[in-house]
Amino acid sequence: MKIGLMMTPGDVPIDAVLAAFEDAEARGFDSAWLPNIRGYDALTVLALAGRLTRTIELATFVTPTYPRHPSALAQQALTTQAASGGRLTLGIGLSHRVTMEEGLGFDWNHPVRHLREYLNCLGPLLRGEPTTFAGEEYKLNGYQLTVPGTTPPPVLVAALGPQLLRVTGRLADGTAIWMGGPRYIAEHAAPTITAAAREAGRPAPRIVAGLPICVTDNLDAVRARANEAFARYGELPSYRAVLDRQEAGSSPGDVALIGDEAQVKAGIEELQAAGATDLVASVYAPRGEDPDRTYALLRSLLT
């Protein structure tokens, strides 16, 4: 299983953000994943990071689709792919009704249709093909992108529910899951997306599991603090459903990988056995905890 890091820039200058990518590569991690929320634009940052690094995979986790026409996202992704020497993985997602509809005014009534149409446009655009598509939400008439020296980046979708997982399996390269525990992956995500990919004649999908991780001897105290820090994920409907599929009433702290070295390693092995191909570790170190202890364990698992 490949191991990457979730980059959490917060309110730091861009030079510090880019230095974190250089550090992740120097530590030997397979990949570095950047959320696209309300701060830096993730693909722009990855294009810059691509000029400062040489080997590490650079990925978005994830870029929302609604605010970006497929042609605009494809053009930006191909530019980032060129800047990084072909190391981009494009993670996309619908985001949430509260953000896209209530916050930005987009129509959230047909999220499955939206994703299906989006991927049907995005794929051929990334491949540089003349693209014609006539859907309910998107229309293209022979539109084509030409970015020299690029190959299409893999596309992963933050698909959590069964309908979105089936669309993703048929039309994309895998899924990027945040807050999905091993039971959810083994019983829901992995079999659903894998079956859809197989039926579509596609390769086995990549299944990326992103979770908070803290190596500590203070398990109960850190888990309680994680429940506070990540409480919002237990309130958003899509994540609430994922947590309940892990176990009814589960909280974000329950699926976070927290404990001593042996406990966290066992949790990582359980994710791999469940079907995860990648772990994206969001290193969580509340006050009094040493993040280097978590980094050391993760580095010991790199192959």
Side-chain angles (χ1 to χ4, degrees), residues 3-264:
I3 297 178
L5 294 180
M6 186 78 80
M7 315 303 281
T8 51
D11 298 324
V12 300
I14 189 66
D15 286 345
V17 176
L18 296 174
F21 283 89
E22 294 179 285
D23 180 66
E25 181 172 78
R27 290 175 185 258
F29 287 100
D30 296 306
S31 54
W33 303 69
L34 187 63
N36 193 111
I37 307 178
R38 300 190 186 188
Y40 292 112
D41 176 76
L43 281 168
T44 303
V45 172
L46 295 186
L48 295 171
R51 309 308 291 172
L52 300 174
T53 57
R54 292 292 176 267
T55 60
I56 193 168
E57 177 186 6
L58 303 169
T60 54
F61 200 125
V62 294
T63 296
T65 56
Y66 279 93
R68 296 161 180 83
H69 192 281
S71 64
L73 183 59
Q75 186 174 37
Q76 189 181 14
L78 288 172
T79 303
T80 302
Q81 180 78 319
S84 64
R87 289 179 285 128
L88 174 68
T89 290
L90 180 60
I92 65 172
L94 305 185
S95 187
H96 305 277
R97 180 187 290 271
V98 67
T99 304
M100 293 298 112
E101 185 172 78
E102 297 176 23
L104 295 176
F106 291 102
D107 182 357
W108 189 268
N109 287 325
H110 304 284
V112 178
R113 183 185 73 189
H114 168 85
L115 179 63
R116 183 173 55 251
E117 292 194 11
Y118 202 96
L119 290 173
N120 272 305
C121 295
L122 182 66
L125 289 168
L126 289 172
R127 294 191 293 271
E129 300 170 1
T131 304
T132 297
F133 182 84
E136 296 296 320
E137 298 189 28
Y138 296 105
K139 291 178 172 60
L140 295 168
N141 185 16
Y143 195 84
Q144 185 176 17
L145 295 170
T146 303
V147 180
T150 60
T151 56
V155 176
L156 307 181
V157 180
L160 302 178
Q163 293 187 75
L164 294 180
L165 283 164
R166 283 191 285 271
V167 171
T168 298
R170 290 194 295 268
L171 298 173
D173 300 295
T175 184
I177 300 166
W178 175 243
M179 286 290 170
R183 182 178 178 185
Y184 163 76
I185 292 174
E187 297 181 7
H188 299 278
T192 303
I193 192 173
T194 300
R198 186 187 307 114
E199 291 167 5
R202 298 180 63 91
R206 193 171 176 186
I207 299 172
V208 179
L211 285 171
I213 298 183
C214 180
V215 177
T216 177
D217 294 322
N218 305 309
L219 189 155
D220 292 339
V222 172
R223 195 176 299 283
R225 294 171 75 175
N227 276 326
E228 295 178 3
F230 300 102
R232 178 156 176 75
Y233 295 107
E235 299 167 356
L236 292 166
S238 57
Y239 288 121
R240 180 68 263 158
V242 168
L243 290 167
D244 286 339
R245 288 185 176 112
Q246 175 66 23
E247 185 174 346
S250 288
S251 64
D254 294 329
V255 298
L257 298 177
I258 299 171
D260 61 23
E261 282 80 358
Q263 290 170 310
V264 172

Side-chain angles (χ1 to χ4, degrees), residues 261-276:
E261 282 80 358
Q263 290 170 310
V264 172
K265 182 181 178 183
I268 293 172
E269 291 171 346
E270 192 176 3
L271 284 171
Q272 184 174 14

